Amino acid sequence: MALARRYGTPLYVVDEMAVRNACRAHRREFESRYPRVRILYASKALMTKAIAMIVAEEGLSLDVCSGGELYTALSAGCPPDRIYFHGNSKTLSEIDFALSAGICRFVVDNMDELRLIDLLANAKGLVADVILRLTPGIEAHTHEYIKTGQIDSKFGIAIPNGDALRAVKYAKELRNVKLTGLHCHVGSQIFETEPFLHAIEVMMDFAREACDATGFIMEELDIGGGLGVRYTGGDDPLSVADLAEAIAPALLKAAEERCLPLPTLLMEPGRAIVGEAGTTLYTVNAVKHIEGVRTYVTVDGGMADNPRVALYQAEYDAVLANKADRPPTCEVSIAGNCCESGDMLAWDIALPDVEVGDILAIFCTGAYNYSMASNYNRHLRPAMALVKDGWSDLIVERETYEDHVRKDVVPDRLKSSHRSAAVSAESAMLVYPRASGANASE
Ligand code: LLP
């Protein structure tokens, strides 16, 4: 409540200790079971300078997948030698940027990228360390849109059809590229150990085959991210300890059975680091009861700040923050503020009597909410507050209407005919000068 009053709504709230504890759990559980481990935070889940600083402070490395994420990591002071550059469609300028920054590894998605990295590294007189992203041909039981391990995927180089072996041979021929390891990521929001274990078997078989065929020694094996989190009471995710307990012995055994040296184990959790640390606060703007049909509770945010319900049929738990001690009395569906019927935040959830002005808190919104937010309908992207020990700090400012028009350019030929419209826009600003759009009671 105090946060909603102080910063306005919608508001992303991130619990700093929850992020730190998740980082620590990953390091503790894996490092205690395997000799050489690097935990990379998959920053696509949530990237801001403050978040990058926290995970770096906790000793994690960073998986970035665009020039924008790389820039944020560097501006936050993350050491380049702990940055891994992913992405299936890197541009020339992104590769150039990453080479100049001296990042740790390129996680290479295809042959064209390999060729380009070699070319650009050559021009700079560098040798780039690379890991090849492979598709092991594994189907994880998760939503169709977040499966990535199968052969028919836009990501990675396929193992079963021989492409992966050709890529290893090619990488070994290149003078300005050093192939250090292999990568796979089977999917996201995974609740079982089985796909990870299967991936280890397939990747270690391939490492043996590639060693026999080319002499390639896999120094590191990156098995991606994907550990599921608890969005609702019905979810029963694995703990980090469960995952480490399954993966570490499996990899030790797989290396021994294939007479391969132990690779460094790389893991790339995103959602499992920040997902449960996030809560979004909204203000209720309307309650519409359609007798015998449904009650819609409309809030001041929606698919623009959380597109996951519309995209993946994601489910969330929610409470009324100002009535948290009251028992549920009704079943309602939470509707967003975008001009789109699919813009819903939750279906059929139990809440106490909802009234206009109540503050709705939706849990587990730390991952893939802010990072996937848009300005659809020209809604403003919310602010983000970081909370710790009863304190709060703003880590992302709320956008303003001025931000919306800052990058708009009006060609000269339109200016004269629209002068009068511009004048009326100016007078509108006089009437409503703050133009922040936030629902704040301060
Ligand atoms: N590594 C790679 C190569 C990835 O592609 C991803 C996620 C991760 C690591 C981190 O996965 P995580 O631990 O967060 O599951 N927008 C979707 C999720 C897309 C995941 C993309 N890749 C969602 O909201 O569920």
Side-chain angles (χ1 to χ4, degrees):
M1 281 304 293
L3 291 169
R5 263 199 304 279
R6 179 162 178 201
Y7 300 109
T9 58
L11 178 71
Y12 297 115
V13 181
V14 177
D15 176 348
E16 179 174 339
M17 279 321 293
V19 174
R20 290 190 184 276
N21 287 338
C23 294
R24 289 172 197 175
H26 275 84
R27 287 197 57 190
R28 183 182 62 241
E29 301 302 340
F30 280 94
E31 287 172 3
S32 61
R33 291 176 171 90
Y34 194 85
R36 282 187 313 281
V37 177
R38 254 194 176 197
I39 309 291
L40 282 52
Y41 167 58
S43 65
K44 56 184 74 82
L46 173 63
M47 184 54 149
T48 76
K49 280 164 72 167
I51 298 294
M53 280 170 171
I54 291 169
V55 295
E57 223 174 79
E58 291 298 331
L60 268 58
S61 298
L62 238 73
D63 145 4
V64 301
C65 70
S66 70
E69 287 182 357
L70 173 58
Y71 184 85
T72 310
L74 295 171
S75 357
C78 296
D81 66 355
R82 282 204 259 145
I83 298 179
Y84 291 66
F85 193 8
H86 290 62
N88 69 306
S89 182
K90 300 181 187 73
T91 64
L92 188 147
S93 64
E94 283 177 320
I95 293 171
D96 191 63
F97 176 28
L99 282 170
S100 307
I103 61 148
C104 179
R105 303 275 187 277
F106 287 89
V107 181
V108 174
D109 202 274
N110 54 67
M111 300 287 256
D112 292 313
E113 181 189 335
L114 202 50
R115 194 173 305 121
L116 188 57
I117 293 173
D118 183 63
L119 205 80
L120 295 180
N122 181 41
K124 287 183 185 299
L126 299 170
V127 174
D129 286 339
V130 307
I131 294 177
L132 288 181
R133 176 169 182 170
L134 307 182
T135 35
I138 292 170
E139 297 267 345
H141 300 130
T142 188
H143 193 281
E144 201 55 40
Y145 293 178
I146 50 180
K147 276 183 190 172
T148 48
Q150 73 283 11
I151 297 303
D152 186 358
S153 167
K154 72 169 189 168
F155 297 108
I157 306 170
I159 296 177
N161 64 3
D163 283 349
L165 191 56
R166 279 186 281 280
V168 170
K169 285 181 181 154
Y170 182 53
K172 283 185 66 76
E173 283 165 16
L174 298 174
R175 296 214 354 248
N176 296 83
V177 153
K178 178 169 181 270
L179 180 62
T180 61
L182 303 175
H183 169 285
C184 67
H185 170 76
V186 289
S188 227
Q189 185 61 355
I190 295 172
F191 280 60
E192 307 125 11
T193 53
E194 198 275 329
F196 295 102
L197 299 180
H198 190 177
I200 288 175
E201 290 297 305
V202 175
M203 295 299 283
M204 293 301 279
D205 276 346
F206 177 74
R208 180 70 262 169
E209 183 191 349
C211 179
D212 292 341
T214 70
F216 163 65
I217 300 290
M218 180 177 68
E219 293 166 28
E220 46 208 9
L221 173 62
D222 185 336
I223 59 162
L227 178 60
V229 299
R230 191 186 311 274
Y231 282 102
T232 69
D235 290 334
D236 186 19
L238 292 168
S239 67
V240 184
D242 291 338
L243 187 66
E245 188 56 37
I247 285 178
L251 186 52
L252 292 167
K253 183 159 164 273
E256 193 186 333
E257 281 172 357
R258 291 161 182 85
C259 301
L260 285 169
L262 263 195
T264 297
L265 170 62
L266 273 50
M267 283 286 301
E268 300 168 355
R271 195 187 317 260
I273 299 289
V274 291
E276 294 180 16
T279 300
T280 309
L281 302 180
Y282 300 96
T283 300
V284 173
N285 279 341
V287 180
K288 182 172 84 169
H289 180 64
I290 312 170
E291 194 51 43
V293 180
R294 188 183 299 281
T295 300
Y296 284 95
V297 169
T298 307
V299 296
D300 57 354
M303 67 189 297
D305 60 81
N306 180 2
R308 299 193 69 259
V309 180
L311 264 180
Y312 319 113
Q313 299 80 49
E315 291 179 10
Y316 290 94
D317 278 345
V319 296
L320 291 180
N322 52 319
K323 297 177 180 168
D325 51 348
R326 298 195 202 168
T329 51
C330 52
E331 194 170 82
V332 301
S333 294
I334 311 297
N337 57 353
C338 287
C339 303
E340 188 99 35
S341 294
D343 172 28
M344 296 295 293
L345 289 171
W347 291 98
D348 307 325
I349 57 166
L351 288 180
D353 271 354
V354 191
E355 295 160 291
V356 169
D358 282 344
I359 301 296
L360 181 85
I362 298 194
F363 300 119
C364 203
T365 57
Y368 305 109
N369 274 224
Y370 171 72
S371 63
M372 295 179 76
S374 77
N375 289 120
Y376 184 41
N377 289 173
R378 287 234 150 176
H379 284 303
L380 303 172
R381 260 180 286 225
M384 191 181 301
L386 185 70
V387 294
K388 181 170 181 279
D389 303 331
W391 287 92
S392 72
D393 294 287
L394 195 67
I395 58 168
V396 178
E397 287 180 0
R398 184 177 304 284
E399 286 181 338
T400 64
Y401 294 145
E402 292 83 357
D403 290 332
H404 278 337
V405 290
R406 183 162 298 134
K407 297 284 185 189
D408 284 7
V409 179
V410 179
D412 280 344
R413 66 192 169 77
L414 293 182
K415 280 184 183 155
S416 51
S417 60
H418 283 259
R419 197 174 303 131
S420 52
V423 169
S424 31
E426 246 169 53
S427 31
M429 296 305 289
L430 292 175
V431 178
Y432 185 42
R434 271 189 63 224
S436 77
N439 244 323
S441 31
E442 271 188 350

